[in-house]
Every structure is written in structure tokens, then in C-alpha cells.
Amino acid sequence: MFKQVALDYNFSDLEPFIDALTMETHYTKHHSAYTNNLNAALEKVPEFSNLGIEELLTKLDTVGDEAVSQTIRNNGGGFYNHNLYFTTMKPGGSKEPFGDLAAKITETFGGYDALKEKLTALSIQRFGSGWAWLSANKAGDLKVSSSPNQDNPVFETKGEWTPILGIDVWEHAYYLKYKNLRGDYVKAFYEVLNWDEIAKNYTAVKE
Ligand code: MN
């Protein structure tokens, strides 16, 4: 059974950048539904139910039932992506990258401002629903990308790349407060990022 990550902050704590009703709806309705639907789908393919979520997402082409595979792709992706999303947001914490991650960001993209520009552009250019990502590989390299729907780099690269930061650009992530202004939401999202957590993710991916 997969469980939503527990939040160590309140839904209202990200105000005024991310509003409390969006946070509550996002976590208790959307993320909860992805998690429940994933667990329900796994009951149909119990031989896959003991895998970790990342391994599961890399093995979807071996799930014989195509409808079940698609359900796990959508909802397993939704489960995984939102666990990442909610744990990298937090009031307080480091406001900017630091240490070896900051150095790698500068080496790869030219600096934090340049990285934000690239992620913002990917977020705005994503047509319809999806995500923008900062990902790492075992060598410690970084790259940015975007995915449709609830896909992610783990699924797309069969685990070669792991996201360490994800920007949810589904309308449910911002529409109550920002309406059609996705770029304004993305700009606000950077204000509630906790780079301590993103640095931990980077360290965990690197070998
Ligand atoms: Mn979402």
C-alpha cells in the first residue's frame, strides 16, 4: 500500500504564494485520489505490488493488461510526482541552492536565475497539463525537462534520470488564485521552495 507523504507544515503556511484552499484541495483530493487509484490498480496485478514506486514506473511495459498499465502510469505518476512536490515546498528553509548542488547548477545552467528562467519557460510552454522538472542522474549531472499529464523522468528514461524538483502546472495547482496566469504561479512557487530538501534529493540520486 502506497501512502501519501505526511506534510510537516499546514495548508495555510504557504500563503500568500500558494493559497490554503488550493493546498488543501490538492493534497486531500487530487493527491489522495491518485494514491487510492494506484493502490486499487495494484490489487489487479499483485505481482507488481511489492515494488518501490520508482521501480514500478520503470516496468510499466511489462504489465500485461494495457488498461491497468495506463492506470498505474497515470496514478502512480501522480502519487510519486506529488510526494516530491509537497516535500520540496515549505515555509522557511534555504531559499536558494547551496553547496555542490549550487555549483552544479552554475556549471550546467549558468546560475540559479538562469535555471529558474529555463524552468519557467518549460512550465509556460507545456500545453495542457503536466510538469516541469529539474532532474539528476547517478553521475550527478543535472537537466531540465517537461512531461505531459502525470508522466515524469523516471518513467520516461526508465530510471536513468530522477527528478529532484518538480513544478506542477496542472490548473488544479494554481487556478483558484492565479486563474490563467501560470507564469505568476511559477514565480510564486520559487518563493516557497526549500532547497534543503532539494539538496537531500540530489545527494540521494548521486552515487
Ligand atoms: Mn497536482
Side-chain angles (χ1 to χ4, degrees), residues 91-139:
S94 300
K95 285 287 179 197
E96 293 190 2
F98 58 90
D100 62 344
L101 176 55
K104 196 70 183 179
I105 286 170
T106 298
E107 179 193 324
T108 308
F109 306 107
Y112 183 40
D113 285 343
L115 169 63
K116 284 194 284 189
E117 276 177 31
K118 287 182 194 307
L119 286 171
T120 302
L122 287 168
S123 297
I124 292 169
Q125 288 158 11
R126 167 55 54 195
F127 187 74
S129 298
W131 292 77
W133 307 106
L134 173 64
S135 298
N137 65 9
K138 288 177 179 173

Side-chain angles (χ1 to χ4, degrees), residues 26 30 34 82 85 131 150 168 170 172-173:
H26 206 170
H30 294 277
Y34 295 127
H82 288 86
Y85 180 76
W131 292 77
Q150 295 295 352
D168 187 347
W170 284 57
H172 67 228

Side-chain angles (χ1 to χ4, degrees), residues 13-58:
D13 286 350
L14 306 184
E15 295 267 12
F17 303 105
I18 311 291
D19 63 284
L21 182 58
T22 293
M23 284 298 296
E24 181 175 0
T25 309
H26 206 170
Y27 183 81
T28 68
K29 308 290 185 192
H30 294 277
H31 191 196
S32 172
Y34 295 127
T35 306
N36 292 338
N37 291 340
L38 169 62
N39 287 325
L42 284 169
E43 287 179 13
K44 295 175 184 167
V45 285
E47 65 273 28
F48 288 88
S49 62
N50 289 325
L51 300 180
I53 186 62
E54 292 187 4
E55 191 178 2
L56 178 62
L57 291 174
T58 65

